[in-house]
Amino acid sequence: STCVRYGDTVARLGGDEFVILLEGTDEVEAMVLAERALESLALPVQIASGSFAVRASAGVVCSYDDASPVELLRSADIAMYASKRDGKSKVTLFNPDMHEDANRQFELRMDVTVARERGALRLLYQPIVGTQANRTCGVEALLRCNHPTLGVVPPDEFIAVAAQAGLARTIG
């Protein structure tokens, strides 16, 4: 709350999620304020005999097309998750294309949940060839996911989604 202007609203949504409502500002000023808030959170805090720091991610959305408060919060949440996905401790400005990405991630998460039962996961083996002897010295196991509408989903997409959904151990 020390990072915001007089009249701005800071609220806790629950858990570790907070929202800052800025009125009468533009995207640039909102991004600067969000960066300042993350920097403030990253300052170490002395608790008992230890020093602790918090890393956070932020999503920024500016009012658009008479969006409802719920739509704005959803858009800010989508931008915040993009920040987390891109390496945390970042501020990401929402753009409408992110809705499509979020919908695709949601669909993929639901499909990965049932992919094993549906037989959509395939295990492939890639030989590892020793360069000196020019002989196969081992194999690498590669997991692939064949989605009914998206086709073969790259591992960097479906494995991350599976991990977020808590399915990595089950798939393994």
Side-chain angles (χ1 to χ4, degrees), residues 22-101:
L22 309 172
E23 294 189 49
T25 189
D26 60 12
E27 290 178 357
V28 174
E29 191 174 1
M31 293 291 287
V32 168
L33 191 132
E35 290 283 354
R36 195 174 345 147
L38 292 187
E39 289 168 7
S40 175
L41 287 171
L43 295 174
V45 175
Q46 196 68 31
I47 300 176
S49 62
S51 181
F52 300 91
V54 175
R55 288 180 43 186
S57 300
V60 173
V61 64
C62 291
S63 185
Y64 59 92
D65 298 331
D66 298 324
S68 72
V70 170
E71 290 170 316
L72 289 172
L73 283 172
R74 186 178 304 125
S75 297
D77 201 45
I78 288 169
M80 186 260 314
Y81 277 103
S83 290
K84 284 183 176 184
R85 187 177 58 244
D86 294 342
K88 298 189 180 181
S89 298
K90 286 184 62 180
V91 176
T92 300
L93 179 64
F94 175 80
N95 72 59
D97 294 339
M98 290 179 171
H99 271 297
E100 186 177 318
D101 292 342

